[in-house]
Structure formats: structure tokens, C-alpha cells
Amino acid sequence: MYQALVGQMCKHLVQLEHWLDATVAYAESKKIDADRFLDFRLAPDQFALARQIQITCDTAKLGASRICGKDAPVHADTEKTIAEIKTRVEDVRAYLAHFGAVDYDGAALRVITQPRWEGKTMTGADYFLEHVTPNFFFHLSHTYAILRHNGVPLGKRDFLGPLTMHAPA
Amino acid sequence: MYQALVGQMCKHLVQLEHWLDATVAYAESKKIDADRFLDFRLAPDQFALARQIQITCDTAKLGASRICGKDAPVHADTEKTIAEIKTRVEDVRAYLAHFGAVDYDGAALRVITQPRWEGKTMTGADYFLEHVTPNFFFHLSHTYAILRHNGVPLGKRDFLGPLTMHAPA
């Protein structure tokens, strides 16, 4: 299950890269600097686009690495351009692609904790379903919503990406 | 897995009801009509709040019923008030609560189709992971984002809801 969910996250990160390409094309058509979008946000006390994308990446990266008991590569959150943030997304996708079925052995029962949890723990299963999955989609959807709110032409198919459909029998 | 994911959706629908309560309280504090929020949207060609909530409900309801091979109750999409839309959310939660482990037997391999798919099909597994789950979180997150964009005081904990944490050993 975790491998399937992480696989879906990788697909959504590919879609996110397409959204960034669409943002650059849209900005060019309006003769504005595409990197300006990185500072846009939906509410004064919500994160701006760049941070939404960084957290989307970190949620997938740390979610997979923690339930598999591995150390994840560190990203410094210093991206200032669409090109740099796209490289971040690509890096995380490449990292996640290395996880195979065997890496998820024991993931459901692994004990997960974080410094700010003050010693409390979650099982890998609960952590992935209750924390990682909703957080990933929260920040992914906010990324999409910030772009749509600011005029980038995207639709639901750009959000979902390709579906595994079978031709009529 | 499907039962666990549907269980999470039910939890998020409870949170959504809390957001609606927070919206009513916020509107009262500002002396405005809370039902006005149902027409708010983030982009001219995105759905307004009422429709985002209706689709959030339908995605969970139809996702579970289709992979379990059951007929789902029909909702007419006629809600005009926060109170009515909250009843819709409660109805769907009650419906989903009836599904037990045995209902999901064979769900992964069930053949799913929809009129607009022109005869094409998806397996229950692919449909639930590639279509239902991202769509549910897309519309749930847009619901949250519309409320935050319009001043309703909510935070990430309101989005995630309670987490299954264990006390330090």
C-alpha cells in the first residue's frame, strides 16, 4: 500500500513540474517575471507558493524515508526561481524512485517520532495515512490553487495526471 | 487499505463540519450572513464553496460504493445554506460508516466505469488510488482554502484532525 501511495505521489510531482512549465508559459504570454509567482499566497498567514512546493516535496520525501527507516537527503529551502524549485521536485522524485517493495517491509509497525512531538510516537501505518497523505495533498492542492487563483490555465486533468484506463472489452 | 482510506475520509468530513461551524462563528463576529460563503471561489472558472463540498462528499460516497459494488444514495445538490450543506456531510458520513471489512472483499479487482469514460474501465484499485483519493483531497483542500482566503480562522490541525499518537514509553 505504501509503495502504491508513494508511486502516486511521484506521479503528482511530475504533474507539479508540468504546472510550473505552464506558469512560465503563462508569465511569458503576459510579459511578467514567472519567478514572481513564488511569493503569491491565498491568505496573509498561509505559506507562499515556494514554501507550499517545498513542503509538498518534504512530505513525500520524509514520509517515505521515515516509514522505511532511512535517512533522507537534506534540502536547504533556498530556491528563489521556478527553475530551482523544479530541480528540487525532480531531486525528490529521483530519490523516491529508489524505494522498492523490500524497503517497505515492516513500515506499518515502524515507530515514528519527531522532535516537536515531545516523545510521542505514531506507527508507520498511522503516520502515513493520518499525517503524510493528507499533508501531501494539502500542500499539492494549495500549490495548484495559488496558480489557478493567479490565472495559470490548469484543469483537473492536470491535477490528476494520466489514469490507468483499459479499452472497452 | 480501502477501508482505512475511507475511514480517513470520514474523519476529514468531521473536520469539514468543524470548519463550517467556525465559518458561522466568524460570520457572526463580523455581522455578515454565513451562507454568503457558499458562493465564494478562488478563480472565476473554479467551483464555488458549496460545489466543492458537494463534490468532496460525492467523491467519498461514490468512491466507496463503486469499489464495493453498491448503489449509493442520490443527493440533489440543492443546498443553499451552511446548515443544509452540513446535513449533506453528516448524511454521507453516516452512509460510509455502514461499510465493513467484508464489503471491501474483491474491491481491488472490481471493474469500474462511468458514462463519460466511453466504455473504458479502471480496476477498483487504480480507481481508488488514482481518481478517488486525489479528487477527495483536491476538493477538501479547496474547501479549506476558500474559507482561509476569506478570513475564517483555521489551522493545519483543523485540516488533519486528531492523530493516533502514543505516549512516550
Side-chain angles (χ1 to χ4, degrees):
Chain A
M1 169 168 93
Y2 308 106
Q3 190 178 18
L5 285 166
V6 171
Q8 289 303 305
M9 290 179 188
C10 286
K11 185 180 83 166
H12 287 296
L13 292 178
V14 172
Q15 294 308 115
L16 199 164
E17 291 174 47
H18 293 331
W19 309 345
L20 294 175
D21 292 340
T23 302
V24 170
Y26 176 73
E28 281 174 1
S29 77
K30 296 283 182 184
K31 301 192 194 309
I32 54 177
D33 179 2
D35 297 335
R36 197 185 291 178
F37 281 78
L38 295 177
D39 293 325
F40 294 166
R41 66 187 80 219
L42 292 174
D45 56 347
Q46 278 196 317
F47 288 126
L49 183 71
R51 191 84 193 104
Q52 299 286 358
I53 297 173
Q54 288 164 348
I55 301 178
T56 303
C57 288
D58 273 1
T59 303
K61 176 183 77 175
L62 297 172
S65 65
R66 283 177 180 147
I67 66 168
C68 293
K70 300 197 184 295
D71 288 329
V74 174
H75 291 87
D77 294 336
T78 52
E79 295 89 354
K80 299 289 179 205
T81 67
I82 297 265
E84 286 171 354
I85 206 106
K86 202 174 155 189
T87 299
R88 166 82 165 259
V89 179
E90 287 164 359
D91 277 358
V92 170
R93 274 209 297 118
Y95 171 70
L96 293 174
H98 282 116
F99 286 78
V102 69
D103 294 305
Y104 294 97
D105 280 352
L109 294 177
R110 198 173 301 276
V111 177
I112 311 288
T113 190
Q114 294 187 40
R116 64 192 159 82
W117 290 0
E118 298 172 340
K120 281 181 278 194
T121 61
M122 297 184 77
T123 65
D126 291 336
Y127 171 66
F128 207 85
L129 274 182
E130 299 179 11
H131 199 284
V132 175
T133 302
N135 261 318
F136 176 82
F137 281 112
F138 178 94
H139 294 287
L140 184 75
S141 298
H142 274 71
T143 296
Y144 178 96
I146 291 170
L147 296 176
R148 287 285 272 107
H149 182 64
N150 288 285
V152 179
L154 299 171
K156 177 62 78 60
R157 280 171 188 250
D158 298 306
F159 185 82
L160 292 181
L163 301 176
T164 309
M165 284 203 169
H166 305 281
Chain B
M1 170 167 93
Y2 308 106
Q3 191 178 16
L5 285 166
V6 171
Q8 290 302 306
M9 289 179 188
C10 286
K11 185 180 83 166
H12 287 296
L13 292 178
V14 173
Q15 296 307 116
L16 199 163
E17 291 174 47
H18 294 330
W19 309 345
L20 295 175
D21 292 340
T23 302
V24 170
Y26 175 73
E28 282 175 0
S29 77
K30 296 282 182 185
K31 300 191 194 312
I32 53 177
D33 179 2
D35 296 335
R36 197 185 290 177
F37 281 78
L38 294 176
D39 293 325
F40 293 165
R41 66 188 81 218
L42 293 175
D45 56 347
Q46 278 196 317
F47 288 127
L49 183 71
R51 190 85 194 102
Q52 298 285 359
I53 298 174
Q54 288 164 348
I55 302 179
T56 301
C57 288
D58 274 0
T59 303
K61 176 183 77 176
L62 297 172
S65 65
R66 283 176 180 149
I67 66 167
C68 293
K70 300 198 185 297
D71 289 327
V74 174
H75 291 86
D77 294 336
T78 52
E79 295 90 354
K80 299 288 180 206
T81 67
I82 297 265
E84 287 171 355
I85 207 106
K86 202 174 155 190
T87 299
R88 165 82 165 260
V89 179
E90 286 164 359
D91 278 357
V92 170
R93 273 208 298 120
Y95 171 71
L96 293 175
H98 282 116
F99 287 77
V102 67
D103 294 306
Y104 293 96
D105 280 351
L109 295 176
R110 198 173 301 277
V111 176
I112 311 289
T113 191
Q114 294 187 42
R116 63 192 158 83
W117 291 359
E118 298 173 340
K120 282 180 278 194
T121 62
M122 297 184 78
T123 65
D126 291 337
Y127 171 67
F128 207 85
L129 273 183
E130 299 178 9
H131 199 285
V132 175
T133 302
N135 262 317
F136 177 82
F137 282 112
F138 178 94
H139 294 287
L140 184 74
S141 298
H142 274 71
T143 296
Y144 178 96
I146 291 170
L147 295 176
R148 288 285 271 107
H149 183 64
N150 288 285
V152 179
L154 298 171
K156 175 64 75 63
R157 279 169 189 250
D158 298 306
F159 185 82
L160 292 181
L163 302 176
T164 308
M165 285 202 170
H166 305 283

